[in-house]
Amino acid sequence: MSQPARSALSLRQVLIVPYVALVLLLAIVIGALSYVAGSRAVATVSDHLLIETVGRIGQAVDRHVVGSGAVLEAVFPNGMPAPASIGSDLGNLRTRLWIATSLHIDPNNYAYYGNRAGQFIGLWRNSLDDGELRLKLKGDEPRTFFNFQGINGELHEASRETKVYDPRVRPWYKAGESAKLHTWTAVYIDYRHGGLVATRARRVLNAAGEFEGVVATDISLKGLNDFVSTLALSKNGIAFIVEPNGDLIASSASANIARQPDGSNKRLAAADSGHPLLAATYSEVRDTLASLKQAQLPQTRTFTGPGGQTIHAAFDRVKDDAGLEWITVVAVPASDFMQGVTANVVRTGLVGGIAALLAVVLGLRILGWVTGDLRRLSKSARAIGDGDLESPVDVHRNDEIGQLARTFETMQERLRTDRLTGLANREAFMRRLDGRVGRHRRAADIGPFAVLFVDLNHFKQVNDRLGHDAGDKVLTEIAERLREAVRASDFVARYAGDEFVVLLDRVESREQAERVRAHIEHVLAQPLRSVDPTPLGEQALGGAVGMAIFPDDGDEAESLMRFADHEMYTRKFGARGETPWADYHATPR
């Protein structure tokens, strides 16, 4: 009778080998789960950050171009007939051009009008006080340039062109003449400063309802390029704005204009930018946009880029009713987001192997500790992806998982903090205000509270006369004054530009809120400490402070903000300011 084959392994080996294999397999599984959880967390956060960034670029474009329509309407309000001769209404035209170029002097500092008789009038604003009037009252004569100061300043002839300038043959005139509504010319290179410029134009009718001329305004796109170039992306991330045909408008990774051998300038297309990631990203976005409608944007895409890298990208299409259509794009290699996740997976496997050699219980406890933190990290990442920037990460470690957790916390803080002043930003303030309203509705806190809307006076003079670095110092100083002027329980935020908002968490009465407002106005009126105010003259900075009391002045966050904004406008400009409230409120600030 045959005997069954005996195992070549000892009993100890039979017990140990499967056990060690099982623990090692668990270590491998935990490592894989760590990698998947980390990848998902990073993907969630990266998509959210990319969408947020591309949205900021779209907002910058909107702020940059939206004022151009108001400029044209200020020169020739809808329904106002154009005179047959510029000379017959020269005074009024000059006044309206001054007002128009005051609305958004950066970037709309040049507005002009040409008629079918070949006459031309244009106003170039060098500053708030200085202007240059460009005028020709006969079709066959060259333009004369006049310098003056103030809206009604005396004209002083500065120069006269040698060549006859005929507005009727210019691209802006032809575009406005053929379009029934507002229209944009193609983006072009300005011969004076060599930068990109876009022109918005609109036809103007005479009293008989017939075409008489075209009013237009130029917009320098340098500000957009500067904004995109200074975006805080990752080490290898890029952002750019491009036309549908591929011509670059702004880019953080390359120039948008190339110098030719003959000394002329030529616009660069994304494909010719010399930046592989930019060219590959535009190609991916272009092919994807062809199948998407406006309502489906913004979108994110993951694709294989140069060198086989995985690239995360977000893009949107910016359009307006005058025919403008630009594409905003942000792209970041996945490796920039992953940071220490891959290294952490390797370390997790090593920890699992060591745990197998030391003790099962210790290994299981270590694995449970690691996976518990990863679950909390993944949960926090999902909350960030859903827009909850207040949810705590609640991971306290000193290894790579802790580093990643602190990175998420830093992301949360950056998304809700104004980088310049360190105050909360607009979104964080609106969330706090919504929460305060909600707390009142839940009867958790039925006491009234107040919202203060602060708009600095004459701040543009700081930038114009002292420079933008000085402007940043002033904003930082004002932020510190506001923090010190209110209680620790109150909430101060930078709303936009030179505007700040304060949530007075609890007030006993409107009189108490008025005292706080008066105190803040007094604090703002104090001499500047961060810069030398001498070049500003005797005009103190100061600020107008609007106030809204909940629930007397509004029972929603938006209505409270609108009421406070309107009251600020009234205190700053009076009941009827030069800019009507509707236009002022509609202007992005």
Side-chain angles (χ1 to χ4, degrees):
M1 229 177 135
S2 62
Q3 297 293 324
R6 294 184 178 181
S7 172
L9 300 176
S10 66
L11 179 60
R12 181 179 181 180
Q13 291 173 324
V14 169
L15 293 175
I16 292 177
V17 170
Y19 170 77
V20 172
L22 177 60
V23 174
L24 290 177
L25 178 62
L26 286 173
I28 294 173
V29 171
I30 292 298
L33 290 176
S34 300
Y35 183 81
V36 171
S39 298
R40 288 178 177 176
V42 168
T44 300
V45 173
S46 65
D47 282 353
H48 179 76
L49 290 178
L50 291 175
I51 289 290
E52 179 79 17
T53 303
V54 84
R56 288 177 59 198
I57 297 175
Q59 291 172 358
V61 171
D62 184 63
R63 287 194 299 269
H64 205 73
V65 304
V66 72
S68 58
V71 171
L72 300 189
E73 292 302 318
V75 180
F76 275 103
N78 188 31
M80 173 179 285
S85 171
I86 289 177
S88 66
D89 198 28
L90 180 59
N92 289 330
L93 275 171
R94 175 185 164 187
T95 298
R96 295 203 300 273
L97 284 169
W98 180 275
I99 293 172
T101 53
S102 299
L103 296 178
H104 307 282
I105 197 167
D106 182 14
N108 297 110
N109 68 323
Y110 185 37
Y112 46 95
Y113 166 72
N115 63 15
R116 59 183 180 177
Q119 297 177 319
F120 177 87
I121 182 171
L123 180 59
W124 178 280
R125 293 289 293 279
N126 299 309
S127 66
L128 285 174
D129 300 319
D130 296 333
E132 179 183 80
L133 187 69
R134 303 172 179 181
L135 182 65
K136 60 172 288 187
L137 298 180
K138 294 181 180 180
D140 58 353
E141 68 179 11
R143 294 185 299 181
T144 301
F145 292 4
F146 300 90
N147 292 332
F148 68 99
Q149 288 191 330
I151 188 170
N152 295 316
E154 183 179 353
L155 298 179
H156 301 282
E157 182 173 337
S159 63
R160 178 173 296 192
E161 293 179 327
T162 57
K163 295 182 180 180
V164 175
Y165 176 88
D166 190 347
R168 295 167 295 187
V169 301
R170 308 302 295 176
W172 59 269
Y173 188 94
K174 292 182 178 296
E177 182 180 20
S178 59
K180 293 184 178 180
L181 301 174
H182 289 237
T183 187
W184 288 98
T185 66
V187 176
Y188 59 94
I189 301 174
D190 189 272
Y191 73 92
R192 290 165 297 186
H193 55 70
L196 294 183
V197 172
T199 298
R200 184 168 183 155
R202 177 174 67 82
R203 66 190 330 221
V204 182
L205 306 180
N206 57 26
E210 300 170 339
F211 171 77
E212 185 63 38
V214 176
V215 61
T217 182
D218 290 347
I219 298 179
S220 170
L221 302 182
K222 181 180 182 299
L224 282 180
N225 198 65
D226 292 343
F227 173 82
V228 170
S229 299
T230 56
L231 279 176
L233 299 171
S234 66
K235 178 182 178 181
N236 301 299
I238 62 171
F240 59 95
I241 306 172
V242 66
E243 293 187 275
N245 66 358
D247 286 342
L248 285 171
I249 293 172
S251 170
S252 66
S254 71
N256 52 15
I257 296 174
R259 191 77 169 178
Q260 300 301 293
D262 62 0
S264 64
N265 291 325
K266 177 185 176 182
R267 291 192 65 191
L268 277 179
D272 303 324
S273 64
H275 195 282
L277 178 57
L278 191 154
T281 303
Y282 171 70
S283 178
E284 177 74 19
V285 169
R286 177 195 59 201
D287 296 340
T288 304
L289 273 173
S291 60
L292 292 177
K293 299 178 180 178
Q294 188 72 22
Q296 297 173 298
L297 294 171
Q299 286 267 340
T300 59
R301 283 289 183 276
T302 300
F303 63 97
T304 302
Q309 294 185 93
T310 299
I311 307 297
H312 295 297
F315 55 93
D316 199 357
R317 184 189 286 120
V318 180
K319 302 179 71 175
D320 72 359
D321 56 4
L324 179 142
E325 182 176 354
W326 294 345
I327 301 166
T328 57
V329 188
V330 178
V332 177
S335 57
D336 285 10
F337 283 116
M338 291 298 288
Q339 297 182 354
V341 173
T342 302
N344 181 64
V345 171
V346 174
R347 288 179 176 83
T348 302
L350 292 176
V351 169
I354 294 173
L357 297 175
L358 295 178
V360 177
V361 175
L362 180 60
L364 291 176
R365 292 187 65 181
I366 292 176
L367 292 175
W369 175 49
V370 172
T371 56
D373 282 345
L374 285 175
R375 282 193 299 269
R376 284 190 289 272
L377 186 58
S378 181
K379 180 180 178 181
S380 178
R382 286 195 298 270
I384 296 174
D386 292 335
D388 181 7
L389 303 180
E390 305 294 336
S391 177
V393 177
D394 198 26
V395 174
H396 307 286
R397 300 166 64 106
N398 294 320
D399 59 3
E400 287 75 14
I401 294 178
Q403 181 184 8
L404 184 58
R406 288 188 290 275
T407 299
F408 286 161
E409 292 172 341
T410 301
M411 290 178 182
Q412 287 177 305
E413 183 64 23
R414 288 181 177 177
L415 286 173
R416 62 178 179 241
T417 302
D418 176 61
R419 281 174 172 260
L420 175 64
T421 63
L423 296 176
N425 60 20
R426 178 177 185 162
E427 291 184 4
F429 181 84
M430 293 306 297
R431 284 194 297 270
R432 175 67 69 92
L433 182 55
D434 280 329
R436 186 65 177 84
V437 172
R439 199 168 74 200
H440 185 278
R441 289 179 176 170
R442 294 191 300 270
D445 186 353
I446 60 174
F449 60 91
V451 173
L452 302 181
F453 196 110
V454 181
D455 190 350
L456 301 183
N457 296 330
H458 315 294
F459 178 72
K460 192 176 186 309
Q461 294 184 15
V462 177
N463 284 332
D464 289 345
R465 300 182 183 181
L466 303 180
H468 289 277
D469 289 341
D472 291 346
K473 292 179 181 179
V474 169
L475 290 176
T476 303
E477 179 182 343
I478 293 300
E480 185 61 29
R481 291 188 189 185
L482 291 174
R483 269 193 293 252
E484 295 174 355
V486 297
R487 302 164 300 188
S489 60
D490 299 328
F491 193 71
V492 183
R494 184 184 178 192
Y495 195 72
D498 59 343
E499 296 173 343
F500 298 81
V501 283
V502 181
L503 173 60
L504 301 180
D505 186 62
R506 180 185 293 275
V507 294
E508 299 299 328
S509 64
R510 184 177 293 271
E511 289 73 21
Q512 183 189 13
E514 285 286 355
R515 288 194 294 271
V516 175
R517 170 161 64 180
H519 176 61
I520 289 178
E521 289 180 337
H522 173 74
V523 167
L524 296 178
Q526 300 308 304
L528 295 172
R529 300 187 301 271
S530 57
V531 298
D532 179 12
T534 304
L536 302 178
E538 298 180 356
Q539 181 65 59
L541 189 64
V545 182
M547 182 179 72
I549 305 293
F550 179 92
D552 297 343
D553 301 327
D555 58 358
E556 296 282 353
E558 292 295 335
S559 61
L560 285 168
M561 291 299 298
R562 186 175 181 85
F563 187 95
D565 191 2
H566 185 274
E567 193 183 42
M568 177 278 295
Y569 167 88
T570 302
R571 292 175 72 87
K572 188 168 186 175
F573 300 106
R576 297 176 60 87
E578 288 186 0
T579 303
W581 159 245
D583 293 345
Y584 181 84
H585 184 268
T587 301
R589 306 193 298 282

